[in-house]
Amino acid sequence: MSMNKAQLVTWLGKLNDVYAEKKEYLTELDAAIGDADHGINMNRGFGKVMEKLPTVEDKDIGTILKTVGMTLMSSVGGASGPLYGTFWMKGGMLLAGKDELAADDFVQFIEAGVGGILQRGRPELGDKTMYDLWAPVLEAMKDEAGNASEVIAVVDAALPVAEKALADTIPLQAKKGRASYLGERSIGHQDPGATSSYYMIETLRDVLAG
Amino acid sequence: MKKLINAVEDVVKEQLEGMALAHPELKVNYEPYYMCRADAPVKGKVAVISGGGSGHEPMHGGFVGKGMLDGACPGEVFTSPTPDQMYECAKAVDSGAGVLFIVKNYTGDVMNFEAAAELVAGEGVKVQNILIDDDVAVKDSLYTAGRRGVGTTVLAEKVVGAAAEEGYDLEQCADLCRKVNQYGRSFGVALTSCTVPAAGKPTFELGEDEVEMGIGIHGEPGTHRMPIKSVDEMTQYAAEQIIDDPAYSRTVREWDGEQWADKELTDEPFAKGDKVIAFVNSMGGTPVSELYAVYRKLDEVCRAKGLTIVRNLVGPYITSLEMQGFSITLLKADDEILKLWDAPASTPGFVR
Ligand SMILES: Nc1ncnc2c1ncn2[C@@H]1O[C@H](COP(=O)(O)OP(=O)(O)OP(=O)(O)O)[C@@H](O)[C@H]1O
Ligand SMILES: [Mg+2]
């Protein structure tokens, strides 16, 4: 089964709930190795997405994704604003005119999005950023889509990989972003950006599983 | 949390409203947030714009006015502004001579200003972005996001603002700003933490008798903690970090008019005989009287090291909310920089 627009809209709504619920937690993670604003930033950004969503809900998926990206870009701020903004916008540019996504479309969306994160932040693997989550997740999704799979199977395959990648950020020493100023003191903490990215995948799995 | 606020969500907006009422010579825009000279665009003049998280006042909004900035874009407290702010601000102040973005080197600020530069360039406006990365507490650029932008930003806004007023073109303004950045070095010390209104509690814990050396301006941890010492000892340490700092190299990304280009920059260390502008700054909670105690020792250390302080600035100019602490910035001053430093400026936070 492909992923339809209603599921996309539900996903965004649930993400808003998740970021409201996890606001304190994400901010605590960011307090440990950053500047204690990541949860606040994400919560504010998705709140704005919810305000904008009704104006584009009946448009195509590309338009919805682009609107999400532009809204995050102009409301999140910090490092994660341009990174997530670019992520969703790249997907939107790719999926113009679509009303549902086959597994291949979905994986292309993630691939374009991760490409956007790379372009904007120029992270390298092991720098302790959200890219350390997205890189293995994208690989897992591509592998699963190669089996001509359903979107839910693609996301299912990615979830345990994401879970592991998230935990794997803990022992890393940050080399990008604010956390890098801590040097070795950044070791032993989970990356906040990787954590907010993990929620995107986990929440989508819940939505698709119904 | 004990603060002069109404609702946490309204902090930035209400403070901007207050500024607008107090300073009719500024125009404040709320959707999105930016402030600019009410008389902008100034015909034929390069527009100088800066921005960053709120909580460092008077920087940047307080430096908007004749002889300094044309526009400033405030983000939420300690969070960088977003590209739509810089884009709208640039459109409001560009006279056709182009726009210079002065960007403090923090990942968030850098990425948001880069996205903004692309948007502005897409409209056919000439734009350049120059980074300020002067915090010597950050030693290497290979394993970090590089030196943070701190005190030199204030001096750059004064000097480059004066140059734009005198008729420098965009490239000359950018070259000058790069030079000021390369000539400036800073080091900060925190005596207490600060509280971001939205977080409600102090960003970090610092013992009653402890200080944090090498802090940035957002309550981010510094290089190390130690028991508090005399002002002379702490000033000596900070000054020596700056004066003895060796050459510093890194790669910066600048917009070349069409695309992003990497540029290798090396800052030379201070040398005996250099003339400097000395800037002693309060992090917000430290009284000016204590800054003069810092200045007293700084003058002595500079003399001992063979540097001559030819101008100074003492006061709270780039703050970290209510944090107690200070920072020292030394800027090597050649004739061009001195002449522009002495040029008139008329802004809410800096008058000459
Ligand atoms: N260069 C980069 N490339 C990819 N991801 C990055 C990069 N720098 C930071 N990040 C991610 O961004 C997250 C931090 O986001 P956050 O919104 O807290 O921004 P910030 O750095 O605190 O900026 P600001 O202080 O301006 O708000 C990190 O946990 C990391 O995953
Ligand atoms: Mg942060």
Side-chain angles (χ1 to χ4, degrees):
Chain A
M1 251 191 25
S2 49
M3 176 176 163
N4 61 36
K5 228 164 48 181
Q7 286 169 317
L8 171 62
V9 170
T10 311
W11 181 24
L12 293 167
K14 282 244 165 82
L15 269 179
N16 178 44
D17 300 341
V18 168
Y19 289 130
E21 188 192 317
K22 302 288 186 186
K23 178 174 152 185
E24 305 279 317
Y25 174 61
L26 285 172
T27 297
E28 268 166 42
L29 290 179
D30 196 31
I33 58 170
D35 58 348
D37 65 355
H38 190 58
I40 299 162
N41 294 349
M42 294 304 288
N43 182 232
R44 181 176 55 240
F46 272 84
K48 285 276 185 250
V49 167
M50 284 301 103
E51 285 172 25
K52 281 276 163 63
L53 204 52
T55 63
V56 290
E57 247 169 13
D58 50 356
K59 304 261 168 62
D60 65 289
I61 287 182
T63 305
I64 297 177
L65 295 183
K66 245 200 289 195
T67 306
V68 171
M70 271 154 54
T71 308
L72 293 178
M73 182 84 97
S74 62
S75 64
V76 174
S80 44
L83 291 167
Y84 282 133
T86 312
F87 179 93
W88 293 87
M89 253 161 17
K90 291 278 175 191
M93 276 142 68
L94 195 79
L95 298 172
K98 298 248 182 211
D99 279 316
E100 53 176 38
L101 305 182
D104 271 344
D105 298 323
F106 177 75
V107 174
Q108 278 175 28
F109 156 31
I110 302 300
E111 185 163 25
V114 175
I117 290 175
L118 266 175
Q119 213 175 38
R120 189 92 281 152
R122 301 198 288 182
E124 285 174 35
L125 267 184
D127 281 354
K128 198 182 182 99
T129 69
M130 58 176 71
Y131 181 62
D132 288 318
L133 186 115
W134 284 110
V137 159
L138 176 61
E139 282 317 304
M141 287 180 167
K142 275 180 168 170
D143 286 349
E144 184 61 30
N147 308 331
S149 194
E150 313 280 342
V151 176
I152 183 163
V154 167
V155 178
D156 263 334
L159 193 58
V161 174
E163 224 164 287
K164 177 168 184 308
L166 180 58
D168 285 348
T169 64
I170 297 174
L172 293 174
Q173 176 175 336
K175 302 210 178 63
K176 288 271 156 45
R178 242 175 234 298
S180 68
Y181 298 121
L182 285 174
E184 287 175 3
R185 283 192 275 171
S186 63
I187 293 172
H189 300 279
Q190 186 169 301
D191 180 60
T195 311
S196 57
S197 291
Y198 172 78
Y199 294 141
M200 292 188 180
I201 300 158
E202 186 189 46
T203 308
L204 179 58
R205 209 282 314 263
D206 291 349
V207 169
L208 294 176
Chain B
M1 177 173 61
K2 230 194 247 178
K3 280 183 190 290
L4 302 176
I5 61 177
N6 293 312
V8 163
E9 318 77 77
D10 299 332
V11 165
V12 173
K13 184 172 132 271
E14 292 182 353
Q15 291 174 355
L16 286 175
E17 286 168 355
M19 272 211 87
L21 290 166
H23 299 285
E25 68 277 20
L26 301 187
K27 180 185 160 237
V28 178
N29 193 73
Y30 294 94
E31 300 232 340
Y33 289 153
Y34 68 82
M35 48 238 271
C36 62
R37 285 171 64 161
D39 62 347
V42 181
K43 197 160 171 279
K45 189 181 98 65
V46 170
V48 184
I49 294 179
S50 193
S54 295
H56 308 301
E57 291 68 16
M59 189 188 76
H60 299 276
F63 302 146
V64 173
K66 196 166 160 47
M68 286 184 81
L69 299 176
D70 292 83
C73 304
E76 292 298 321
V77 175
F78 288 2
T79 293
S80 59
T82 55
D84 52 316
Q85 294 175 253
M86 282 72 92
Y87 172 77
E88 294 297 338
C89 181
K91 283 205 305 189
V93 300
D94 176 44
S95 68
V99 177
L100 178 72
F101 288 151
I102 300 181
V103 186
K104 299 193 298 306
N105 189 37
Y106 296 95
T107 302
D109 291 56
V110 171
M111 289 199 272
N112 282 286
F113 270 93
E114 283 185 4
E118 290 168 17
L119 290 173
V120 170
E123 295 278 302
V125 173
K126 284 185 283 182
V127 59
Q128 291 243 36
N129 74 317
I130 296 293
L131 288 185
I132 305 293
D133 57 346
D134 62 321
D135 183 2
V136 299
V138 181
K139 292 295 169 208
D140 79 279
S141 64
L142 216 53
Y143 300 109
T144 68
R147 289 188 168 173
R148 302 171 288 219
V150 288
T152 301
T153 316
V154 175
L155 309 182
E157 289 175 6
K158 168 68 190 78
V159 170
V160 178
E165 209 71 60
E166 289 200 359
Y168 280 43
D169 69 17
L170 180 58
E171 207 179 313
Q172 291 169 323
C173 285
D175 289 344
L176 173 67
C177 192
R178 198 183 300 106
K179 176 171 92 171
V180 170
N181 179 43
Q182 293 197 258
Y183 281 9
R185 281 174 162 85
S186 303
F187 188 88
V189 177
L191 274 51
T192 63
S193 182
C194 56
T195 298
V196 175
K201 51 179 194 279
T203 308
F204 60 93
E205 297 295 335
L206 201 53
E208 192 44 40
D209 300 323
E210 276 182 322
V211 294
E212 177 108 17
M213 307 299 285
I215 41 123
I217 51 171
H218 304 91
E220 56 271 75
T223 50
H224 63 283
R225 264 173 204 201
M226 59 177 208
I228 188 164
K229 297 200 173 138
S230 68
V231 61
D232 280 1
E233 285 168 290
M234 291 190 292
T235 301
Q236 172 134 15
Y237 182 86
E240 285 177 352
Q241 293 301 302
I242 294 169
I243 300 169
D244 299 338
D245 184 52
Y248 174 69
S249 300
R250 74 292 200 191
T251 309
V252 298
R253 188 146 68 150
E254 290 183 11
W255 183 253
D256 74 359
E258 273 162 36
Q259 57 189 2
W260 295 104
D262 284 343
K263 228 186 184 117
E264 295 289 336
L265 296 181
T266 299
D267 302 357
E268 298 305 332
F270 288 102
K272 270 201 171 61
D274 279 351
K275 292 180 188 167
V276 296
I277 298 175
F279 169 29
V280 175
N281 174 62
S282 164
M283 299 310 254
T286 285
V288 173
S289 52
E290 291 178 21
L291 298 183
Y292 280 107
V294 172
Y295 188 81
R296 170 181 170 272
K297 181 68 183 179
L298 176 62
D299 183 84
E300 182 196 311
V301 177
C302 283
R303 278 172 207 277
K305 297 267 181 190
L307 304 183
T308 312
I309 301 178
V310 290
R311 300 286 187 280
N312 67 72
L313 181 66
V314 179
Y317 290 95
I318 167 170
T319 58
S320 196
L321 295 169
E322 77 279 32
M323 176 187 282
Q324 282 183 325
F326 69 97
S327 66
I328 295 175
T329 300
L330 294 179
L331 171 67
K332 180 177 149 181
D334 59 16
D335 290 344
E336 181 188 33
I337 290 174
L338 269 184
K339 180 171 152 266
L340 294 165
W341 178 256
D342 290 338
S346 162
T347 73
F350 189 104
V351 178
R352 160 130 316 126

